[in-house]
Amino acid sequence: MNILFLTLARITTLDERGIYTDLLRKFRNEGHHVYIVSPFERREKKKTGVVQESGATILNVKTFNLQKTNLVEKGIGTLAIEYQYLNAIRNHFANEKFDLVLYSTPPITFSKVISFVKKRDNAFAYLLLKDIFPQNAVDMKMLRENGILHRFFKQKEEKLYALSDTIGCMSDANKNYIIRHNPKIAESKIEVNPNSIEPIRAEITTEERIAIRKKYELPVNARILVYGGNLGKPQGIGFLLETIKATTAEEVFFLVVGSGTEYESIRKWFSDQQPTNAKLLKGLPKNDYDTLLRACDVGLIFLHKDFTIPNFPSRLLSYLEMAIPVIAATDPNTDIGQIIEKEKCGHWVISGDNTQMQNAIQAICSNENCEMMGANGWNLLQREYKVDHSYELIQKRIQNV
């Protein structure tokens, strides 16, 4: 089977680890031919072209800057990308016939590309729904509800959902939200296909843990609570900083690792406040981050309290993979916290509730069952969030056509 994967993520090789590369590698290992369309952002100063890498064919398309740029260029780039991808596919994959076109949100502006491939090749279209836009932008006050831009992007969203033969949602709450807010979509084509990875069991000795902590100048004997990933407005970073400031327990140390639109404001806060119980690190390469994560004790998840859509951050999988307990501070609409508590692999608090957060930190730091919670998390990962499961769901949909 020939598979075309459309993404805004920069993919250079299937040897990298991540929710998309792990799934695509599974397809490759099962004998399928994987084709990837990925952006060459303007700042890279490279031309559109095709490369063969790690058993996949990667079409790098020159685009505007899409990440870490101003809103104007990002907006123009998001609108232009479907035409850029469409032209590149016509020029470079004219003689290829695709059986499956796989794509994720963001963006929601791939409709013309998907429509073209479906019509030309009679391909099956499968959407991996990782982002519910434009409602998330409305929640974050980035778009005015029922304004011109909101209505425009809402039409784009509806078109994408209509074109998709199957919509794979990250959780039950995601699925129920899509069904409830999109009554024109047949429920039969909506399923739960969560974030998934190819997990590797991380073993670490006491000596290795100490060496890693010393390398990054972290306290050797403290209980380290780590937040790793995107540092943006959707993460409700303000509450993370409030939590650091409010935590007085001497044995607790916070490690913040990442990059994003809020990084500079966080760096300034660290510079002004000079917290003795926390450290900020710029985003690390995946392998380095995973190594650092092995030396931490508790994983943190933060989401903005104003979200009405049920987000499900993929960073949860990194914590489960490292078999460390999790504290999730989220809005009440996502089910990630309920899953964490049901599976007894951590604690859930409502974002902005300082009392709940301090209680959770105290509980997890004084709890002798932390190792058991980590083991529960690893078992949850094996049971629900492996790429084998996502692969089988997609295969089943195609076979039933």
Side-chain angles (χ1 to χ4, degrees):
M1 185 166 67
N2 284 352
I3 299 157
L4 179 66
F5 179 60
L6 310 173
T7 181
L8 282 185
R10 185 76 183 93
I11 296 179
T12 58
T13 173
L14 290 190
D15 295 332
E16 296 172 345
R17 301 192 65 217
I19 58 173
Y20 300 133
T21 48
D22 284 14
L23 178 58
L24 294 173
R25 195 164 57 246
K26 173 67 176 178
F27 274 100
R28 181 203 65 188
N29 293 345
E30 293 294 330
H32 303 289
H33 303 287
V34 176
Y35 296 77
I36 300 167
V37 186
S38 179
F40 260 159
E41 294 190 34
R42 182 171 61 87
R43 64 172 64 91
E44 297 183 64
K45 299 180 180 179
K46 295 180 180 179
K47 295 182 179 180
T48 297
V50 176
V51 296
Q52 302 293 326
E53 176 62 43
S54 58
T57 302
I58 303 176
L59 171 56
N60 297 301
V61 181
K62 184 178 180 180
T63 67
F64 291 98
N65 291 328
L66 302 166
Q67 309 292 336
K68 299 177 183 177
T69 187
N70 61 75
L71 287 176
V72 174
E73 182 171 19
K74 186 171 185 176
I76 293 172
T78 302
L79 293 175
I81 196 169
E82 70 174 335
Y83 297 97
Q84 293 165 333
Y85 274 28
L86 182 56
N87 288 334
I89 290 169
R90 282 172 168 164
N91 291 333
H92 294 274
F93 291 158
N95 298 320
E96 303 295 344
K97 179 179 173 61
F98 298 108
D99 304 288
L100 167 67
V101 55
L102 190 65
Y103 44 97
S104 64
T105 54
I108 58 168
T109 52
F110 279 157
S111 296
K112 293 187 188 309
V113 185
I114 298 160
S115 181
F116 170 76
V117 176
K118 285 189 68 173
K119 185 176 181 180
R120 187 191 71 173
D121 301 340
N122 194 32
F124 188 90
Y126 196 108
L127 168 61
L128 296 167
L129 191 72
K130 308 298 185 187
D131 183 62
I132 301 176
F133 182 86
Q135 185 56 46
N136 61 351
V138 172
D139 290 346
M140 294 295 96
K141 308 294 189 293
M142 297 170 70
L143 287 180
R144 183 168 59 86
E145 188 167 13
N146 295 321
I148 294 174
L149 284 176
H150 180 220
R151 294 198 303 272
F152 171 78
F153 283 118
K154 187 65 182 174
Q155 290 176 350
K156 288 282 188 181
E157 178 191 35
E158 291 171 353
K159 177 68 171 177
L160 185 71
Y161 292 171
L163 274 172
S164 302
D165 295 305
T166 299
I167 300 173
C169 302
M170 293 185 291
S171 69
D172 285 324
N174 255 243
K175 177 183 175 181
N176 294 336
Y177 182 95
I178 295 300
I179 291 172
R180 190 165 64 251
H181 290 85
N182 298 272
K184 294 180 182 179
I185 301 175
E187 289 188 28
S188 59
K189 77 174 190 178
I190 305 172
E191 67 182 6
V192 175
N193 190 339
N195 296 327
S196 59
I197 59 172
E198 183 181 5
I200 299 175
R201 189 61 188 255
E203 300 292 345
I204 185 171
T205 66
T206 301
E207 291 75 15
E208 289 171 332
R209 176 187 290 263
I210 292 172
I212 293 168
R213 290 191 176 195
K214 285 183 176 180
K215 176 182 177 180
Y216 290 98
E217 299 179 338
L218 301 170
V220 171
N221 297 317
R223 191 171 288 265
I224 296 181
L225 280 60
V226 58
Y227 173 90
N230 188 37
L231 299 171
K233 188 175 180 180
Q235 284 68 48
I237 297 302
F239 186 49
L240 168 59
L241 302 182
E242 287 178 27
T243 299
I244 293 172
K245 192 171 183 178
T247 303
T248 57
E250 293 182 1
E251 73 274 18
V252 176
F253 190 88
F254 294 89
L255 174 61
V256 182
V257 188
S259 59
T261 57
E262 300 300 302
Y263 179 83
E264 279 305 313
S265 64
I266 298 169
R267 186 194 61 77
K268 185 176 185 305
W269 184 89
F270 267 79
S271 178
D272 293 341
Q273 299 291 325
Q274 295 288 313
T276 58
N277 66 337
K279 186 180 183 70
L280 173 66
L281 291 176
K282 190 77 172 176
L284 298 170
K286 173 66 173 169
N287 288 339
D288 292 343
Y289 173 68
D290 285 348
T291 299
L292 175 57
L293 202 55
R294 292 187 185 102
C296 298
D297 299 294
V298 179
L300 298 174
I301 292 172
F302 284 83
L303 284 173
H304 200 286
K305 63 182 178 61
D306 292 338
F307 271 123
T308 64
I309 60 170
N311 293 290
F312 204 98
S314 61
R315 67 178 54 83
L316 171 66
L317 306 189
S318 296
Y319 302 150
L320 301 183
E321 185 178 33
M322 298 302 163
I324 58 176
V326 183
I327 298 177
T330 78
D331 59 272
N333 296 296
T334 179
D335 52 354
I336 191 170
Q338 296 169 28
I339 291 171
I340 289 169
E341 294 216 323
K342 178 185 175 185
E343 299 295 334
K344 295 181 171 56
C345 56
H347 296 281
W348 172 42
V349 305
I350 296 297
S351 182
D353 192 321
N354 284 295
T355 301
Q356 277 192 347
M357 175 57 86
Q358 290 304 312
N359 288 342
I361 292 172
Q362 183 179 5
I364 214 163
C365 288
S366 61
N367 193 337
E368 296 179 357
N369 293 325
C370 278
E371 189 173 330
M372 183 180 294
M373 285 193 286
N376 290 340
W378 171 259
N379 292 335
L380 172 62
L381 176 63
Q382 294 294 310
R383 191 172 65 251
E384 300 290 342
Y385 304 123
K386 290 180 68 174
V387 290
D388 307 63
H389 178 55
S390 293
Y391 171 81
E392 289 164 5
L393 285 171
I394 296 170
Q395 281 285 76
K396 185 177 180 181
R397 284 284 179 167
I398 297 171
Q399 291 165 3
N400 286 341
V401 173

